[in-house]
Amino acid sequence: MKSAKEDVGKREEDLAFAAVSGIPGTKAYRNVYIPLRGGRTAEIDILLVSAKGVVAIEVKGFGGAITGSAVRWEWTRTRRGKRSGGIERLKFYNPVRQSDAHLRAVSRYLRVPLASCHGLVVFSDRAVLKKVPPSTETCTILQTKYLRGALLRRLRAHGDRFSPAEASRIMQSIESLPVLGEEEKQRQIVQTRQAEKLRMAEQERRRQRR
């Protein structure tokens, strides 16, 4: 049985997938697991392929006020606690760093130049993006309501990077990936969260040594 948090996350992914589906000249894939070293995988919430390039989309389904920078290890989500009524500040791994890691994994697996890949970090419309970079060289940060428009502008602004044959090869590579069962998905989720906690703990140790 899924938790309320997982249900909210799925609804936000549903909204994002609906926003990017059906764009002419593109094909959208959901919950793509790119193999990494050591038997791990990188889960890409949505992967969009076209002759213009590959777009990896990371969906963040939570609300609250979001603050962070492109280079810091952690971002902060500030919200009013449902039970306590007080202000809660929750840390989460920098999604720009997460997106960049996903792009490197996609580039390696699909055998395409990293410059042909771009990341989108999509926050819920319930979130308030207070102090975050609107975009970096490799990643764009926005809310769900702006997703389709941003993609259409990006597609119009860029020339073709792949031939029809190359685009077809990329799609076949994605479609050849194994479909994970629920048990394996949950194991991958746990591993990802553990890796994020380790990264954040290491960053905290570095901060304390300064």
Side-chain angles (χ1 to χ4, degrees):
M1 184 176 179
K2 291 185 177 181
S3 67
K5 180 179 178 180
E6 289 173 326
D7 285 339
V8 170
K10 182 180 182 305
R11 285 198 298 271
E12 292 297 335
E13 284 188 22
D14 289 344
L15 291 171
F17 190 73
V20 305
S21 296
I23 296 177
T26 72
K27 188 164 185 179
Y29 299 89
R30 186 168 176 177
N31 300 129
V32 178
Y33 291 85
I34 302 293
L36 302 173
R37 297 182 183 89
R40 297 183 301 111
T41 61
E43 181 188 2
I44 315 297
D45 292 334
I46 302 170
L47 201 57
L48 191 76
V49 179
S50 76
K52 310 283 187 177
V54 179
V55 179
I57 302 172
E58 175 69 21
V59 180
K60 298 297 183 185
F62 43 72
I66 310 300
T67 58
S69 73
V71 296
R72 293 185 63 182
W73 278 79
E74 298 173 349
W75 283 23
T76 303
R77 169 194 179 197
T78 304
R79 67 175 186 180
R80 187 169 296 280
K82 292 181 179 179
R83 294 183 180 178
S84 66
I87 299 300
E88 295 180 345
R89 290 180 175 85
L90 308 174
K91 301 292 186 180
F92 62 101
Y93 183 56
N94 182 341
V96 174
R97 287 180 175 268
Q98 182 183 24
S99 175
D100 286 349
H102 284 177
L103 293 181
R104 291 192 294 270
V106 168
S107 173
R108 284 195 300 266
Y109 175 73
L110 296 179
R111 305 195 310 278
V112 299
L114 189 58
S116 299
C117 305
H118 191 73
L120 292 179
V121 176
V122 182
F123 282 92
S124 162
D125 292 336
R126 296 177 293 106
V128 179
L129 306 184
K130 293 190 68 173
K131 295 180 181 179
V132 302
S135 64
T136 68
E137 186 177 346
T138 58
C139 177
T140 302
I141 301 159
L142 71 172
Q143 291 169 292
T144 305
K145 59 187 174 185
Y146 301 120
L147 175 56
R148 190 176 183 89
L151 271 175
L152 289 172
R153 287 192 297 274
R154 181 172 182 81
L155 292 170
R156 287 195 295 266
H158 290 76
D160 287 355
R161 294 179 180 269
F162 306 132
S163 67
E166 182 70 354
S168 178
R169 180 195 67 78
I170 292 168
M171 292 177 190
Q172 289 175 4
S173 295
I174 296 170
E175 291 163 7
S176 69
L177 287 166
V179 177
L180 302 186
E182 283 303 317
E183 184 175 338
E184 179 62 18
K185 286 181 181 179
Q186 290 303 314
R187 187 177 73 83
Q188 295 291 343
I189 289 170
V190 169
Q191 286 184 345
T192 298
R193 289 175 179 170
Q194 288 174 339
E196 289 182 2
K197 287 180 180 179
L198 288 172
R199 283 192 292 262
M200 293 171 71
E202 176 60 24
Q203 180 63 12
E204 181 62 26
R205 285 193 292 270
R206 292 179 183 176
R207 187 183 297 119
Q208 291 176 356
R209 288 198 294 266
R210 290 172 186 167

